[in-house]
């Protein structure tokens, strides 16, 4: 479905995507990366908005640039929230479906159907300028699905959605993939993508750092040192236990009640902690995995990628 | 019929109306050609651009020449010694006001910045990921801008001639010639602006003004072969041909009014317009327009 071979995209001297090679088969895929990682550039390349500086891209077997056949087979929801403000959601979606090649009547029915799927029926006659951020996001998704493409390409589709909106979109996308539709979702939030896609591409600094299932990515991360900050009443006793079990790379004390450990075995520590707390009378008040943020995770992967 | 058609629209079972991979849409309906897509863009743009601000600008375009001609008439009535200019001079004023100033300004506002507006508004991607979307958008928006401008110019021409009560021997003929020149002017200048908009999308209006000043004002009046590559040269020649006017000796226009028949000028302008639109379309096809901050 999607094939990239040594694709690099340069904006002058700035690298947008750096030597990416991958093949994606039909199915659901998550493109994960922090802000500025190159996700949007990647999506612009595969949707034929940008040409690669180096390398080749094949979408459904063809070059995506000005490829009308491919445009019939994809639905795109960009990350930007910009839309025309003085037309209604229905008018806008209908217009875009008409541009897809449908008659006015078919386009109208499809637009109504898509907006209904996104819970936008009540608001679809209102001007877009009156929409909330979440409503705009749902309208954007409606225009992407309305012509029933084979592949949905969504950039940050959960941005601005309230919990109900997230649920609606998550269910819609799950249903979409269950029925055989393919999906590529770009996001900087792991759990959003986890909910709808079993396969991940991790991108940072324009590089494809890792790919695979959630388990495979976790396995890859097993050898990456994690930092855990623990606030407790007896940090030195806890540190001794950690050293005895040989599960830490380094230990730092910060004040009388805080200890930060670097470890390649975070899960082991999480398993031991309740037992040590009970045996040594340690009261753990706070526990932070400082590598929980996706940014740190990607920094770790980037270090691995560079051989650091 | 596909799953969408059967279940969603026929039996209203919305829970099972997910996309069907066996079909690609509403069968043969999904084959609407470029012509229909252009009409779709025109219709949508007509609706979308019908804003208070644009209507106000349009009204100013209509009233601007009429106002000037009304002042001319008041002056003529108030001054008993007023000597009306000759027919040719009046026609040239009308030509300068409407097929030139009104059309150029209207197109500058409504054709030159269309791509810039889409890119800055970050809505270009929605159009460019549709089959034939770039071309349909270019032509549809161009024709929409031409329609807005031409309608203002034609109404302004009509009101202006009525209000000004120009003392010409063949007012209807003058109106018809001016109306034709308005249409040709809008189509040709709109095509030029489309190219400029596609090439210099960040400064489309500034470059358009520079183009007008350099080429259509200065170069078009040079007594050299190069002036044939300007729209103005052909328009003024058409005015003289269609009105059967002769250029007086010592008239500066003597150097730019040629002897070619009118049809040659029409063919030149049609070819020029088609060439410019083709060029704009090719530029759109080839250029990469980045609409996002993320690199």
């Amino acid at each position: 479905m999607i094939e990239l071979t040594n694709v690099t995209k340069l904006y002058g001297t700035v690298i947008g995507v750096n030597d990416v090679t991958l093949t994606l088969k039909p199915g659901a895929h998550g493109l994960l990366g922090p802000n500025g990682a190159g996700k949007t550039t990647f999506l612009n390349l595969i949707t034929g908005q940008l040409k690669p500086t180096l390398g080749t891209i094949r979408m459904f077997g063809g070059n995506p640039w000005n490829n009308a056949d491919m445009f019939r087979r994809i639905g795109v929801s960009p990350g930007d929230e910009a839309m025309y403000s003085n037309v209604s959601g229905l008018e806008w979606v209908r217009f875009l479906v008409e541009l897809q090649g449908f008659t006015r009547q078919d386009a109208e029915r499809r637009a109504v159907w898509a907006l209904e799927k996104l819970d936008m029926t009540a608001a679809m006659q209102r001007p877009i300028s009156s929409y909330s951020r979440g409503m705009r996001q749902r309208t954007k998704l409606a225009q992407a699905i309305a012509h029933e493409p084979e592949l949905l390409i969504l950039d940050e589709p959960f941005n601005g959605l309230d919990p109900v909106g997230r649920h609606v979109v998550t269910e819609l996308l799950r249903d979409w993939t269950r029925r055989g539709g393919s999906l590529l979702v770009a996001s900087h939030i792991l759990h959003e993508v986890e909910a709808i896609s079993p396969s991940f591409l991790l991108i940072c600094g324009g590089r494809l750092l890792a790919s695979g299932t959630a388990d495979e990515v976790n396995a890859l991360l097993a050898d990456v040192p994690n930092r855990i900050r623990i606030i407790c009443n007896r940090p030195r006793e806890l540190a001794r236990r950690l050293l005895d079990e040989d599960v830490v790379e380094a230990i730092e004390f910060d004040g009388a009640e805080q200890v930060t450990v670097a470890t390649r075995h975070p899960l082991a520590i999480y398993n031991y902690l309740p037992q040590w707390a009970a045996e040594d009378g340690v009261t753990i008040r706070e526990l932070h995995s400082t590598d929980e943020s996706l940014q740190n995770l990607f920094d770790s992967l980037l270090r691995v990628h560079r051989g650091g | 019929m596909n799953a969408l058609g059967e279940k969603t629209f026929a039996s209203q079972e919305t829970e099972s109306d997910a996309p069907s991979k066996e079909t690609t849409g509403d069968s043969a309906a999904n084959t609407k050609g470029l012509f229909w897509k252009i009409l779709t863009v025109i219709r949508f743009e007509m609706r979308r651009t019908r804003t208070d601000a644009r209507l106000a600008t349009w009204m100013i375009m209509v009233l601007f020449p009429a106002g000037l001609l009304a002042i001319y008439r008041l002056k003529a009535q108030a001054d008993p010694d007023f000597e009306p200019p000759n027919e040719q001079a009046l026609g040239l004023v009308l030509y300068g006001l409407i097929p030139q100033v009104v059309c150029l300004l209207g197109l500058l506002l409504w054709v030159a910045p269309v791509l810039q507006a889409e890119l800055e508004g970050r809505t270009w991607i929605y159009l460019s990921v549709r089959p034939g979307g770039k071309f349909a958008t270019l032509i549809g928006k161009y024709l929409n801008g031409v329609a807005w401008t031409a309608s203002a110019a034609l109404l302004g021409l009509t009101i202006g001639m009525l209000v000004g009560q120009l003392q010409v021997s063949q007012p209807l003929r003058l109106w018809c010639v001016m109306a034709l020149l308005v249409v040709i002017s809008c189509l040709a200048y709109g095509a030029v602006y489309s190219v400029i908009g596609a090439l210099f999308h960040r400064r489309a209006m500034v470059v358009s003004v520079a183009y007008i000043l350099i080429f259509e004002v200065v170069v078009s009046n040079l007594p050299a072969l190069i002036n044939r590559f300007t729209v103005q040269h052909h328009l003024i020649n058409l005015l003289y041909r269609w009105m059967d006017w002769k250029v007086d000796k010592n008239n500066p226009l003597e150097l730019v009014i040629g002897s070619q028949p009118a049809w040659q000028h029409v063919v030149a302008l049609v070819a020029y317009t088609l060439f410019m639109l083709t060029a704009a379309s090719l530029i759109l096809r080839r250029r990469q327009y980045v609409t996002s901050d993320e690199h």
Side-chain angles (χ1 to χ4, degrees):
Chain A
M1 182 175 70
I2 302 173
E3 284 178 68
L4 280 79
T5 310
N6 301 117
V7 169
T8 295
K9 178 63 189 174
L10 296 171
Y11 300 95
T13 55
V14 177
I15 295 181
V17 164
N18 189 356
D19 195 25
V20 170
T21 297
L22 65 85
T23 301
L24 293 182
K25 292 181 177 169
H29 306 277
L31 181 64
L32 272 170
N35 289 326
K39 301 187 297 291
T40 301
T41 298
F42 180 91
L43 298 188
N44 279 334
L45 284 165
I46 64 169
T47 54
Q49 302 301 300
L50 293 174
K51 293 177 189 170
T53 311
L54 294 170
T56 55
I57 304 172
R58 312 290 288 174
M59 288 285 288
F60 300 106
N63 183 345
W65 186 256
N66 288 319
N67 187 335
D69 181 51
M70 182 200 76
F71 292 147
R72 288 189 189 92
R73 300 168 75 174
I74 64 170
V76 180
S77 174
D80 286 319
E81 286 166 27
M83 297 153 88
Y84 300 133
S85 57
N86 64 332
V87 293
S88 72
L90 177 61
E91 283 175 303
W92 186 64
V93 176
R94 183 182 62 206
F95 163 64
L96 293 174
V97 180
E98 277 189 84
L99 270 190
Q100 203 67 39
F102 291 94
T103 63
R104 193 169 168 76
Q105 291 74 22
D106 286 336
E108 171 90 14
R109 287 187 304 173
R110 283 176 172 274
V112 169
W113 167 78
L115 288 161
E116 186 185 312
K117 292 289 283 182
L118 271 305
D119 247 1
M120 283 293 295
T121 305
M124 67 185 183
Q125 303 282 2
R126 279 169 36 195
I128 290 173
S129 57
S130 70
Y131 286 3
S132 66
R133 215 173 149 202
M135 290 162 92
R136 284 169 184 250
Q137 188 66 266
R138 282 187 270 164
T139 308
K140 272 166 50 185
L141 285 170
Q143 62 80 32
I145 66 167
H147 58 285
E148 290 185 282
E150 287 175 47
L151 168 63
L152 270 182
I153 298 171
L154 313 176
D155 194 356
E156 304 283 1
F158 296 97
N159 268 5
L161 291 176
D162 58 19
V164 176
R166 279 168 192 265
H167 176 73
V168 168
V169 171
T170 301
E171 286 307 307
L172 175 97
L173 297 179
R174 278 181 178 159
D175 189 49
W176 181 273
T177 52
R178 245 195 325 266
R179 293 175 180 282
S182 292
L183 185 64
L184 179 59
V185 180
S187 175
H188 64 283
I189 299 174
L190 183 62
H191 69 85
E192 287 180 350
V193 182
E194 258 181 328
I196 47 178
S197 167
S199 153
F200 299 103
L201 302 166
L202 304 182
I203 185 171
C204 188
R207 291 166 183 259
L208 182 65
L209 300 181
S211 63
T213 63
D215 289 342
E216 285 169 338
V217 172
N218 282 329
L220 184 74
L221 285 170
D223 286 335
V224 178
N226 276 240
R227 290 169 65 81
I228 302 172
R229 184 160 52 93
I230 304 165
I231 299 175
C232 61
N233 60 339
R234 302 172 70 183
R236 292 186 184 277
E237 279 74 3
L238 190 61
R240 195 177 59 246
R241 283 283 201 167
L242 290 164
L243 289 170
D244 289 346
E245 294 294 335
D246 197 20
V247 289
V248 291
E249 308 293 316
I251 293 180
E252 292 169 30
F253 291 100
D254 187 6
E257 295 199 327
Q258 180 172 309
V259 59
T260 303
V261 298
T263 176
R264 291 178 192 273
H265 311 286
L267 290 178
I269 292 179
Y270 294 142
N271 287 335
Y272 284 135
L273 276 178
Q275 182 191 336
W276 296 338
E279 289 175 5
D280 298 348
V282 177
T283 304
I284 298 172
R285 286 197 292 277
E286 290 180 33
L287 183 72
H288 301 274
S289 169
T290 55
D291 283 6
E292 267 176 3
S293 77
L294 203 57
Q295 180 62 59
N296 285 337
L297 185 150
F298 281 103
D299 288 345
S300 301
L301 278 173
L302 205 54
R303 283 198 297 274
V304 171
H305 195 78
R306 288 171 176 158
Chain B
M1 193 179 285
N2 66 2
L4 182 73
E6 287 169 357
K7 295 177 179 172
T8 308
F9 305 134
S11 57
Q12 301 294 308
E13 291 173 16
T14 52
E15 288 306 305
S16 52
D17 58 354
S20 150
K21 296 299 115 188
E22 285 75 34
T23 60
T24 54
D26 295 350
S27 61
N30 190 5
T31 56
K32 211 164 77 165
L34 267 180
F35 175 73
W36 292 107
K37 288 183 185 177
I38 291 168
L39 286 184
T40 297
V41 174
I42 294 172
R43 190 171 52 211
F44 181 75
E45 285 295 309
M46 281 284 178
R47 156 73 186 86
R48 189 177 76 83
T49 55
R50 207 168 54 235
T51 60
D52 291 345
R54 180 167 290 212
L55 285 171
T57 312
W58 184 85
M59 193 55 76
I60 290 169
M61 297 274 182
V62 170
L63 296 178
F64 165 67
L68 287 181
L69 290 168
I71 291 169
Y72 161 80
R73 183 186 170 187
L74 287 174
K75 184 172 170 55
Q77 286 175 338
D79 184 358
D81 299 329
F82 180 79
E83 265 193 43
N86 66 35
E87 194 168 325
Q88 235 182 78
L90 278 175
L92 282 172
V93 168
L94 205 57
Y95 166 81
L97 271 179
I98 297 174
Q100 290 290 292
V101 173
V102 171
C103 290
L104 282 169
L105 279 178
L107 295 164
L108 185 70
L109 291 174
W110 298 324
V111 174
V114 289
L115 178 64
Q116 181 181 356
E118 294 293 337
L119 291 170
E120 289 181 358
R122 298 175 180 234
T123 47
W124 176 244
I125 188 169
Y126 296 108
L127 307 167
S128 60
V129 293
R130 311 287 163 181
K134 290 180 187 174
F135 182 76
T137 301
L138 170 78
I139 303 298
K141 283 174 173 280
Y142 156 76
L143 290 174
N144 177 56
V146 165
W148 273 97
T149 308
S151 59
L154 290 173
L155 193 58
L157 170 70
T158 308
I159 296 173
M161 285 188 72
L162 289 173
V163 170
Q165 294 196 337
L166 305 180
Q167 291 165 357
V168 290
S169 57
Q170 297 171 294
L172 184 61
R173 182 177 182 182
L174 184 63
W175 186 92
C176 290
V177 169
M178 288 296 168
L180 271 173
L181 290 177
V182 161
V183 173
I184 295 171
S185 168
C186 285
L187 290 169
Y189 283 126
V192 175
Y193 285 163
S194 294
V195 173
I196 292 171
L199 267 179
F200 306 97
H201 59 88
R202 290 202 173 97
R203 295 279 181 276
M205 291 176 81
V206 175
V207 177
S208 296
V209 170
Y211 163 82
I212 292 300
L213 293 177
I214 294 168
F215 285 90
E216 299 297 332
V217 174
V218 177
V219 174
S220 70
N221 287 306
L222 293 177
L225 189 65
I226 193 173
N227 69 6
R228 297 187 183 194
F229 294 98
T230 64
V231 177
Q232 154 74 359
H233 169 79
H234 297 288
L235 287 179
I236 191 101
N237 271 276
L238 281 174
L239 173 66
Y240 270 77
R241 288 286 156 275
W242 282 339
M243 290 305 295
D244 279 337
W245 289 340
K246 304 289 178 232
V247 188
D248 302 329
K249 290 271 182 195
N250 302 324
N251 186 330
L253 283 175
E254 191 186 8
L255 297 171
V256 289
I257 302 296
S259 56
Q260 298 93 340
W263 69 265
Q264 283 189 13
H265 293 291
V266 173
V267 168
L269 285 172
V270 169
Y272 187 78
T273 302
L274 292 177
F275 173 79
M276 287 295 173
L277 288 177
T278 306
S281 169
L282 287 175
I283 293 165
L284 275 192
R285 269 184 76 83
R286 288 172 179 275
R287 276 189 84 165
Q288 305 173 72
Y289 297 102
V290 183
T291 58
S292 173
D293 290 333
E294 185 168 348
H295 294 334

